Amino acid sequence: VQLVESGGGLVQAGGSLTLSCAASGTIRSVHAMGWYRQAPGKQRELVAKITSGGSTNYVYSVKGRFTISRDISTNSVHLQMNSLKSEDTAVYYCNALILSYYSSNDNDYWGQGTQVTVSS
């Protein structure tokens, strides 16, 4: 199973970016998917998560600015980020809870990370 991210980059404060992540491989089912981020010198934190039923939750600092969505048919998740601030600068990681054909248990999978830099 692989998670491949795209969409990071450099943007000015107040701008927008969309991150995308697609899961592929021997997937039987995908449960919750989400985005985490890690800024230099800080711990990795949950940014947003969406369940297979479509329920979402966000870290307080991005509420009203970020929107998470998913496409179940393509096992993908997206993060629309608006009104970006310098404090949003971090490496963003895609995460998914997946049941593969080679396991009887759900497992956490991670993408390789994509850099988001917001210049002030």
Side-chain angles (χ1 to χ4, degrees):
V1 174
Q2 280 188 313
L3 300 183
V4 178
E5 300 144 342
S6 61
L10 173 65
V11 65
Q12 288 189 329
S16 298
L17 279 176
T18 300
L19 305 182
S20 296
C21 170
S24 62
T26 55
I27 296 171
R28 182 181 299 175
S29 59
V30 180
H31 305 295
M33 300 186 79
W35 292 92
Y36 288 71
R37 67 186 179 187
Q38 187 166 20
K42 294 188 176 182
Q43 288 189 332
R44 190 175 295 190
E45 67 169 351
L46 172 66
V47 177
K49 180 165 280 191
I50 184 167
T51 68
S52 55
S55 298
T56 59
N57 63 285
Y58 299 88
V59 67
Y60 180 80
S61 60
V62 309
K63 282 185 178 180
R65 300 188 296 122
F66 290 12
T67 302
I68 190 169
S69 61
R70 67 185 288 177
D71 184 340
I72 293 177
S73 66
T74 58
N75 291 326
S76 59
V77 64
H78 311 282
L79 186 67
Q80 174 67 45
M81 304 184 294
N82 298 325
S83 302
L84 282 160
K85 304 176 180 180
S86 57
E87 51 263 44
D88 295 318
T89 295
V91 178
Y92 284 69
Y93 296 91
C94 177
N95 169 263
L97 187 63
I98 294 173
L99 178 63
S100 78
Y101 282 106
Y102 296 110
S103 174
S104 58
N105 300 309
D106 297 332
N107 287 290
D108 256 338
Y109 291 88
W110 293 89
Q112 78 282 1
T114 185
Q115 177 70 45
V116 171
T117 303
V118 183
S119 63
S120 55

Coordinates of all heavy atoms in Angstrom, one line a residue, residues 42-102:
K42 N 8.9 21.2 16.1 CA 7.6 21.0 16.7 C 7.1 19.5 16.5 O 7.6 18.8 15.6 CB 6.5 21.9 16.2 CG 6.8 23.4 16.6 CD 5.6 24.2 16.2 CE 5.8 25.7 16.6 NZ 4.6 26.5 16.3
Q43 N 6.2 19.1 17.3 CA 5.7 17.7 17.2 C 4.7 17.7 16.0 O 4.1 18.7 15.6 CB 5.0 17.3 18.4 CG 5.9 17.0 19.6 CD 5.2 16.3 20.8 OE1 4.0 16.6 21.0 NE2 5.9 15.5 21.5
R44 N 4.5 16.5 15.4 CA 3.5 16.3 14.4 C 2.2 16.5 15.0 O 1.9 15.9 16.1 CB 3.7 15.0 13.7 CG 2.9 14.7 12.5 CD 3.2 13.4 11.8 NE 4.5 13.3 11.3 CZ 5.0 12.3 10.6 NH1 4.2 11.4 10.2 NH2 6.3 12.3 10.2
E45 N 1.3 17.2 14.3 CA -0.1 17.4 14.8 C -1.1 17.1 13.7 O -0.8 17.3 12.5 CB -0.3 18.9 15.3 CG -0.2 19.9 14.1 CD -0.7 21.3 14.6 OE1 -1.2 21.5 15.7 OE2 -0.5 22.2 13.8
L46 N -2.3 16.7 14.2 CA -3.4 16.4 13.3 C -3.9 17.7 12.8 O -4.2 18.6 13.6 CB -4.5 15.6 14.0 CG -5.8 15.4 13.2 CD1 -5.6 14.6 12.0 CD2 -6.8 14.9 14.1
V47 N -4.1 17.9 11.5 CA -4.7 19.1 10.9 C -6.2 18.8 10.6 O -7.0 19.6 11.0 CB -4.0 19.4 9.6 CG1 -4.6 20.6 8.9 CG2 -2.5 19.7 9.8
A48 N -6.5 17.7 9.9 CA -7.9 17.4 9.6 C -8.0 16.0 9.3 O -7.1 15.3 8.8 CB -8.3 18.3 8.4
K49 N -9.2 15.4 9.6 CA -9.4 14.0 9.4 C -10.9 13.9 8.9 O -11.8 14.7 9.2 CB -9.2 13.2 10.7 CG -9.5 11.7 10.6 CD -8.9 11.0 11.7 CE -7.4 10.8 11.6 NZ -6.9 9.9 12.6
I50 N -11.1 12.9 8.0 CA -12.4 12.6 7.5 C -12.6 11.1 7.6 O -11.7 10.3 7.2 CB -12.6 13.1 6.1 CG1 -14.0 12.9 5.6 CG2 -11.6 12.5 5.1 CD1 -14.3 13.7 4.3
T51 N -13.8 10.7 8.1 CA -14.1 9.2 8.2 C -14.7 8.7 6.9 O -15.0 9.5 5.9 CB -15.1 9.0 9.3 OG1 -16.3 9.5 8.9 CG2 -14.6 9.6 10.6
S52 N -14.8 7.4 6.8 CA -15.4 6.8 5.6 C -16.9 7.3 5.4 O -17.4 7.3 4.3 CB -15.4 5.3 5.6 OG -16.0 4.8 6.8
G53 N -17.5 7.7 6.5 CA -18.9 8.2 6.5 C -19.0 9.7 6.2 O -20.1 10.2 6.0
G54 N -17.8 10.4 6.1 CA -17.8 11.8 5.7 C -17.7 12.7 6.9 O -17.7 13.9 6.7
S55 N -17.7 12.2 8.1 CA -17.5 13.1 9.3 C -16.1 13.7 9.3 O -15.1 13.0 9.0 CB -17.8 12.3 10.6 OG -19.1 11.8 10.6
T56 N -16.0 15.0 9.7 CA -14.7 15.6 9.6 C -14.4 16.3 11.0 O -15.3 16.6 11.8 CB -14.7 16.8 8.6 OG1 -15.7 17.7 8.9 CG2 -14.9 16.2 7.2
N57 N -13.1 16.4 11.3 CA -12.7 17.2 12.4 C -11.4 17.9 12.0 O -10.6 17.4 11.2 CB -12.6 16.4 13.7 CG -11.5 15.3 13.6 OD1 -11.7 14.3 13.0 ND2 -10.4 15.6 14.3
Y58 N -11.2 19.1 12.6 CA -10.1 20.0 12.3 C -9.4 20.4 13.6 O -10.1 20.6 14.6 CB -10.6 21.2 11.5 CG -11.3 20.9 10.2 CD1 -12.6 20.7 10.2 CD2 -10.5 20.9 9.0 CE1 -13.2 20.4 8.9 CE2 -11.1 20.7 7.8 CZ -12.5 20.4 7.8 OH -13.1 20.2 6.6
V59 N -8.2 20.7 13.5 CA -7.5 21.4 14.6 C -8.0 22.8 14.6 O -8.4 23.4 13.6 CB -6.0 21.4 14.4 CG1 -5.5 22.2 13.2 CG2 -5.3 21.8 15.7
Y60 N -8.1 23.4 15.8 CA -8.8 24.7 16.0 C -8.2 25.7 15.1 O -8.9 26.6 14.5 CB -8.8 25.1 17.4 CG -9.5 26.4 17.7 CD1 -10.8 26.5 17.8 CD2 -8.7 27.6 17.8 CE1 -11.5 27.7 18.0 CE2 -9.3 28.8 18.0 CZ -10.7 28.8 18.1 OH -11.3 30.0 18.3
S61 N -6.9 25.7 14.9 CA -6.2 26.8 14.2 C -6.5 26.9 12.7 O -6.2 27.9 12.1 CB -4.7 26.7 14.4 OG -4.2 25.4 13.9
V62 N -7.1 25.8 12.2 CA -7.4 25.9 10.7 C -8.9 25.9 10.4 O -9.3 26.0 9.3 CB -6.8 24.7 10.0 CG1 -5.3 24.6 10.3 CG2 -7.5 23.4 10.3
K63 N -9.7 25.8 11.5 CA -11.2 25.8 11.3 C -11.6 27.1 10.5 O -11.2 28.2 10.9 CB -11.9 25.7 12.6 CG -11.9 24.3 13.2 CD -12.7 24.2 14.4 CE -12.8 22.8 15.0 NZ -13.6 22.7 16.2
G64 N -12.4 26.9 9.5 CA -12.9 28.0 8.7 C -12.0 28.4 7.6 O -12.4 29.1 6.7
R65 N -10.8 27.8 7.6 CA -9.8 28.1 6.5 C -9.5 26.9 5.6 O -9.3 27.0 4.4 CB -8.5 28.7 7.1 CG -8.7 29.9 7.9 CD -7.3 30.5 8.3 NE -6.6 29.7 9.1 CZ -5.3 29.2 8.8 NH1 -4.8 29.5 7.7 NH2 -4.7 28.4 9.7
F66 N -9.5 25.7 6.3 CA -9.1 24.5 5.6 C -10.4 23.6 5.4 O -11.2 23.6 6.3 CB -8.1 23.7 6.3 CG -6.7 24.3 6.4 CD1 -6.5 25.6 5.9 CD2 -5.6 23.6 6.8 CE1 -5.2 26.2 6.0 CE2 -4.4 24.1 6.9 CZ -4.2 25.4 6.5
T67 N -10.5 22.9 4.3 CA -11.5 22.0 4.1 C -11.0 20.6 3.6 O -10.2 20.6 2.6 CB -12.5 22.5 3.0 OG1 -13.1 23.8 3.5 CG2 -13.7 21.5 2.9
I68 N -11.3 19.6 4.3 CA -10.9 18.2 3.9 C -12.1 17.6 3.2 O -13.2 17.7 3.5 CB -10.4 17.4 5.1 CG1 -9.8 16.1 4.6 CG2 -11.6 17.1 6.1 CD1 -9.0 15.4 5.7
S69 N -11.7 16.8 2.1 CA -12.7 16.1 1.4 C -12.1 14.8 0.9 O -10.8 14.7 0.8 CB -13.2 16.9 0.2 OG -12.2 17.2 -0.7
R70 N -12.9 13.8 0.5 CA -12.3 12.6 0.0 C -13.2 12.0 -1.2 O -14.4 12.3 -1.3 CB -12.2 11.5 1.1 CG -13.5 11.0 1.6 CD -13.2 10.1 2.8 NE -12.7 8.8 2.4 CZ -12.4 7.8 3.2 NH1 -12.5 8.0 4.5 NH2 -11.9 6.7 2.8
D71 N -12.5 11.3 -2.0 CA -13.2 10.6 -3.1 C -13.0 9.1 -2.8 O -11.9 8.5 -3.1 CB -12.6 11.0 -4.4 CG -13.3 10.4 -5.6 OD1 -14.0 9.4 -5.5 OD2 -13.2 10.9 -6.7
I72 N -14.1 8.4 -2.4 CA -14.0 7.0 -2.0 C -13.7 6.2 -3.2 O -13.0 5.2 -3.1 CB -15.3 6.6 -1.3 CG1 -15.4 7.3 0.0 CG2 -15.3 5.1 -1.1 CD1 -16.6 7.0 0.8
S73 N -14.2 6.6 -4.4 CA -14.0 5.8 -5.6 C -12.5 5.7 -6.0 O -12.1 4.7 -6.7 CB -14.8 6.3 -6.8 OG -14.4 7.6 -7.2
T74 N -11.7 6.7 -5.7 CA -10.3 6.7 -6.0 C -9.4 6.6 -4.8 O -8.2 6.8 -5.0 CB -10.0 8.0 -6.8 OG1 -10.3 9.1 -6.0 CG2 -10.8 8.1 -8.1
N75 N -10.0 6.4 -3.7 CA -9.2 6.3 -2.4 C -8.3 7.5 -2.2 O -7.1 7.4 -1.9 CB -8.3 5.0 -2.4 CG -9.2 3.7 -2.3 OD1 -10.2 3.8 -1.6 ND2 -8.8 2.7 -2.9
S76 N -8.8 8.7 -2.5 CA -8.0 9.9 -2.4 C -8.7 10.8 -1.4 O -9.8 10.8 -1.0 CB -7.9 10.6 -3.7 OG -9.2 10.9 -4.2
V77 N -7.8 11.7 -0.9 CA -8.2 12.7 0.1 C -7.6 14.1 -0.3 O -6.4 14.1 -0.8 CB -7.8 12.3 1.5 CG1 -6.3 12.2 1.7 CG2 -8.4 13.3 2.5
H78 N -8.3 15.1 -0.1 CA -7.8 16.5 -0.5 C -7.9 17.4 0.7 O -8.8 17.3 1.5 CB -8.6 17.0 -1.7 CG -8.8 16.0 -2.8 ND1 -7.8 15.7 -3.7 CD2 -9.8 15.2 -3.1 CE1 -8.2 14.8 -4.5 NE2 -9.4 14.4 -4.2
L79 N -7.0 18.4 0.7 CA -7.1 19.4 1.7 C -7.0 20.8 1.0 O -5.9 21.1 0.5 CB -5.9 19.3 2.7 CG -6.0 20.2 3.9 CD1 -7.2 19.9 4.8 CD2 -4.7 20.1 4.7
Q80 N -8.1 21.5 1.0 CA -8.1 22.8 0.4 C -7.8 23.8 1.5 O -8.4 23.8 2.6 CB -9.5 23.1 -0.1 CG -9.7 24.6 -0.6 CD -8.9 24.9 -1.8 OE1 -8.9 24.1 -2.7 NE2 -8.2 26.0 -1.8
M81 N -6.7 24.5 1.3 CA -6.2 25.5 2.3 C -6.3 26.9 1.8 O -5.7 27.2 0.8 CB -4.7 25.1 2.7 CG -4.5 23.7 3.1 SD -2.8 23.3 3.6 CE -2.0 23.5 2.0
N82 N -7.1 27.7 2.5 CA -7.3 29.1 2.1 C -6.8 30.0 3.2 O -6.6 29.5 4.4 CB -8.8 29.3 1.9 CG -9.4 28.5 0.8 OD1 -8.7 28.3 -0.2 ND2 -10.6 28.1 0.9
S83 N -6.6 31.2 2.9 CA -6.2 32.2 3.9 C -5.0 31.8 4.7 O -4.9 31.8 5.9 CB -7.3 32.6 4.9 OG -8.5 33.0 4.2
L84 N -4.0 31.3 3.9 CA -2.8 30.7 4.6 C -2.0 31.7 5.3 O -1.9 32.9 4.9 CB -2.0 30.0 3.5 CG -2.5 28.6 3.0 CD1 -1.9 28.2 1.7 CD2 -2.2 27.6 4.1
K85 N -1.5 31.2 6.5 CA -0.7 32.1 7.3 C 0.7 31.5 7.4 O 0.9 30.3 7.2 CB -1.3 32.1 8.7 CG -2.8 32.6 8.8 CD -3.3 32.5 10.2 CE -4.8 32.9 10.2 NZ -5.3 32.8 11.6
S86 N 1.7 32.3 7.9 CA 3.0 31.9 8.0 C 3.1 30.7 9.0 O 4.0 29.8 8.8 CB 4.0 33.0 8.4 OG 3.5 33.5 9.7
E87 N 2.3 30.7 10.0 CA 2.3 29.6 10.9 C 1.8 28.2 10.4 O 1.8 27.2 11.0 CB 1.6 29.9 12.2 CG 0.2 30.5 12.0 CD 0.1 32.0 12.0 OE1 1.0 32.6 11.4 OE2 -0.8 32.5 12.6
D88 N 1.3 28.3 9.1 CA 0.9 27.0 8.5 C 2.0 26.3 7.8 O 1.9 25.2 7.3 CB -0.2 27.3 7.4 CG -1.5 27.8 8.0 OD1 -1.9 27.2 9.1 OD2 -2.1 28.7 7.5
T89 N 3.2 27.0 7.8 CA 4.4 26.4 7.2 C 4.8 25.2 7.9 O 5.0 25.2 9.1 CB 5.5 27.4 7.2 OG1 5.2 28.6 6.3 CG2 6.8 26.8 6.7
A90 N 4.9 24.1 7.1 CA 5.2 22.8 7.7 C 5.3 21.7 6.6 O 5.0 22.0 5.4 CB 4.2 22.3 8.7
V91 N 5.8 20.6 7.0 CA 5.7 19.4 6.1 C 4.3 18.8 6.4 O 4.1 18.5 7.5 CB 6.8 18.4 6.3 CG1 6.6 17.2 5.4 CG2 8.2 19.1 6.0
Y92 N 3.5 18.6 5.4 CA 2.2 18.0 5.5 C 2.3 16.5 5.1 O 2.8 16.2 4.0 CB 1.2 18.7 4.7 CG 0.8 20.1 5.3 CD1 1.7 21.1 5.4 CD2 -0.4 20.3 5.9 CE1 1.4 22.3 6.0 CE2 -0.8 21.5 6.5 CZ 0.1 22.5 6.5 OH -0.2 23.7 7.1
Y93 N 1.7 15.7 6.0 CA 1.7 14.2 5.7 C 0.3 13.7 5.6 O -0.6 14.0 6.4 CB 2.4 13.5 6.9 CG 3.8 13.8 7.0 CD1 4.2 14.8 7.9 CD2 4.8 13.1 6.4 CE1 5.6 15.2 8.1 CE2 6.2 13.4 6.6 CZ 6.5 14.4 7.4 OH 7.9 14.7 7.6
C94 N 0.1 12.9 4.6 CA -1.2 12.2 4.4 C -1.2 10.9 5.3 O -0.1 10.3 5.4 CB -1.4 11.8 2.9 SG -2.9 10.9 2.6
N95 N -2.3 10.6 5.8 CA -2.4 9.4 6.7 C -3.7 8.7 6.4 O -4.7 9.4 6.1 CB -2.4 9.8 8.2 CG -2.8 8.7 9.1 OD1 -4.0 8.6 9.5 ND2 -1.9 7.9 9.4
A96 N -3.7 7.4 6.4 CA -4.9 6.6 6.1 C -4.9 5.3 6.9 O -3.8 4.7 7.1 CB -5.0 6.3 4.6
L97 N -6.1 5.0 7.4 CA -6.3 3.7 8.1 C -6.8 2.7 7.1 O -8.0 2.9 6.6 CB -7.2 3.9 9.3 CG -7.4 2.7 10.2 CD1 -6.1 2.3 10.9 CD2 -8.5 3.0 11.2
I98 N -6.1 1.7 6.7 CA -6.4 0.9 5.6 C -6.3 -0.6 5.9 O -5.4 -1.1 6.7 CB -5.4 1.1 4.4 CG1 -5.6 2.6 3.9 CG2 -5.6 0.1 3.3 CD1 -4.5 3.0 2.9
L99 N -7.3 -1.3 5.4 CA -7.3 -2.8 5.5 C -6.8 -3.3 4.2 O -7.5 -3.1 3.2 CB -8.7 -3.3 5.9 CG -8.8 -4.9 5.9 CD1 -7.9 -5.4 7.1 CD2 -10.3 -5.3 6.1
S100 N -5.7 -4.0 4.2 CA -5.2 -4.5 2.9 C -5.6 -6.0 2.8 O -6.1 -6.6 3.7 CB -3.6 -4.4 2.9 OG -3.0 -5.4 3.7
Y101 N -5.3 -6.5 1.6 CA -5.6 -7.9 1.4 C -4.7 -8.9 2.1 O -5.0 -10.0 2.2 CB -5.6 -8.2 -0.1 CG -6.9 -7.7 -0.9 CD1 -6.8 -6.6 -1.7 CD2 -8.1 -8.4 -0.7 CE1 -8.0 -6.1 -2.3 CE2 -9.2 -7.9 -1.3 CZ -9.2 -6.8 -2.1 OH -10.3 -6.3 -2.8
Y102 N -3.6 -8.3 2.6 CA -2.6 -9.2 3.2 C -2.5 -9.1 4.7 O -1.6 -9.5 5.3 CB -1.2 -8.9 2.6 CG -1.1 -9.2 1.2 CD1 -1.0 -8.2 0.2 CD2 -1.1 -10.5 0.7 CE1 -0.9 -8.5 -1.1 CE2 -1.0 -10.8 -0.6 CZ -0.9 -9.8 -1.6 OH -0.8 -10.1 -2.9

